[in-house]
DNA sequence: TTGCCAAATGGAGGCGCCCCCGCTTAGCGT
DNA sequence: ACGCTAAGCGGGGGCGCCTCCATTTGGCAA
């Protein structure tokens, strides 16, 4: 993530860019594919010119908004690990994962249009998310607070499954219960020596 | 071709529809994919409302314009056979075939956009054109003015080849010379008994 | 032929997209 | 701290798309 070699965008421009992306997720989720770009600009508090300069086409905006959601989800990991124990960090992060899945579901129509235009917005997203999950689980393993016989890819599959069935906004409670269930199962099994000292 | 079961469209509406399709071929050829629909309406001498009622989307218009070219090409056969000997009819029709190929080439950008939108504008067109060619060649065979050992599909391949290499408007002369060459080769071979009495 | 009515028309108008350019401001050099 | 410069802003305006509906017209029935 982050913008590579290109000259690094002025601070205010970066701020605007992010406000636009956040507004885009909101509005595309609400209005679907044919949301008004003007409205996104208005909600982001920028002029339409600014929106258009950052994202020349509707598709570019949708794609960037989606990628930004993935990036935000993944970038959250270090902060979580820095402020709470690994098992709590993992628990908190799975909540964010559901937020992400809900946003993705809401933008489904818009994303489909991007794909139809010949772009794959999902490139790398799976790897990035699995990488984030891996960091969290490694930290948990190092601290001895999660069992060691479940691989991150298994956990990813479980999370994907929960997202698949329970990512609708009104299923939030169910999603959280399923997450708790899964995370409880991830605790070290007594008498199997996963715990430290 | 022709509009099937649907109620059969008032005479003036049918006329307008055809004017629009003709204008569409012209304008899409000239301006490519992003021709202004307004201009097509203007050139067709109708209001934009009429255009839009007949063809709800840009893609529908492009597709209909292309299909109409195929239909016109094929529908020309009976008229040609009714007004001239079969060999001359075939010769005249091959000219029209090149007209069609030139129009198709000009609309290539627009047609590509239709395909990208998930519609196949070419469905049936090959069969229709081969059918037309078949009628002409059958008539020629019956009259004994063309050789009988060349099948319509062979002839179609030859025409397609000529179109492929010489359909640009500025290659018209070359295309006609190639057609003449091919048609000359289609005459009955002396001493093989294809000719009558 | 005439009258009727549903089909069809067309162009004005609303709306959103996109571009442009005069103004603002971040960020650096002194 | 202060200017300078160019990156960035934003919203007004032009333009094309599409809709809507008052008006026209084709086609049928009497």
């Amino acid at each position: 993530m982050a913008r590579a070699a290109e000259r690094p965008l002025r601070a205010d421009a970066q701020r605007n860019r992010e406000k636009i992306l956040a507004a885009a997720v909101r509005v595309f989720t609400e209005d679907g594919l044919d949301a008004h770009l003007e409205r996104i600009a208005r909600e982001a508090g920028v002029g339409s010119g600014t929106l258009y300069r950052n994202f020349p086409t509707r598709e570019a905006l949708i794609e960037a908004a989606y990628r930004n959601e993935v990036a935000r989800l993944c970038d959250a990991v270090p902060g979580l690990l820095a402020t709470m124990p690994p098992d709590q960090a993992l628990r908190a992060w799975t909540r964010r994962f559901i937020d992400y899945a809900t946003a993705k579901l809401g933008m489904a129509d818009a994303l489909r249009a991007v794909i139809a235009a010949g772009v794959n917005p999902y490139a790398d997203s799976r790897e990035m998310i699995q990488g984030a999950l891996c960091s969290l689980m490694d930290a948990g393993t190092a601290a001895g607070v999660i069992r060691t016989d479940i691989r991150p890819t298994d956990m990813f599959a479980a999370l994907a499954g929960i997202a698949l069935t329970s990512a609708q906004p009104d299923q939030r409670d169910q999603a959280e219960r399923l997450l708790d269930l899964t995370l409880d199962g991830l605790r070290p099994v007594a008498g199997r020596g996963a715990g430290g000292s």
Side-chain angles (χ1 to χ4, degrees), chain A:
Chain A
M1 68 234 74
R3 28 203 35 268
E6 310 137 3
R7 84 175 47 235
L9 213 51
R10 230 166 66 176
D12 55 340
Q14 179 62 36
R15 238 177 292 128
N16 278 332
R17 189 186 162 85
E18 267 152 28
K19 283 193 291 183
I20 291 168
L21 291 173
V25 172
R26 240 181 298 130
V27 176
F28 278 121
T29 296
E30 198 165 319
D31 294 359
L33 174 54
D34 41 40
H36 298 322
L37 299 193
E38 307 269 283
R39 186 180 157 201
I40 294 174
R42 202 174 339 111
E43 293 213 2
V46 302
S48 56
T50 300
L51 190 159
Y52 194 72
R53 196 174 331 100
N54 278 283
F55 310 102
T57 67
R58 174 178 292 268
E59 286 71 29
L61 175 58
I62 297 168
E63 190 198 347
Y66 171 69
R67 286 190 189 282
N68 188 52
E69 289 300 299
V70 175
R72 291 199 313 127
L73 176 66
C74 295
D75 291 350
V77 170
L80 292 174
L81 284 176
T83 56
M84 58 186 80
D87 55 337
Q88 284 184 37
L90 179 58
R91 192 168 293 259
W93 186 82
T94 58
R95 263 53 179 182
R96 296 211 49 160
F97 178 83
I98 294 298
D99 292 341
Y100 152 80
T102 302
K104 179 180 172 183
L105 181 65
M107 291 179 69
D109 282 346
L111 286 167
R112 221 171 293 126
V114 171
I115 293 164
V119 180
N120 176 15
Y122 305 129
D124 311 327
S125 66
R126 169 183 290 260
E127 285 71 18
M128 287 178 60
I129 295 172
Q130 279 185 345
L133 181 56
C134 213
S135 304
L136 285 160
M137 290 180 71
D138 285 352
T141 304
V145 294
I146 63 172
R147 45 196 285 199
T148 55
D149 60 337
I150 302 293
R151 299 168 50 193
T153 50
D154 299 331
M155 191 61 190
F156 180 75
L159 291 177
I162 293 172
L164 216 51
T165 57
S166 314
Q168 306 260 27
D170 64 351
Q171 296 173 318
R172 182 72 196 198
D173 287 353
Q174 182 180 68
E176 301 211 353
R177 283 193 301 276
L178 289 170
L179 288 178
D180 285 341
L181 185 69
T182 308
L183 289 168
D184 288 352
L186 203 62
R187 282 190 294 227
V189 179
R192 259 214 254 147
S197 76

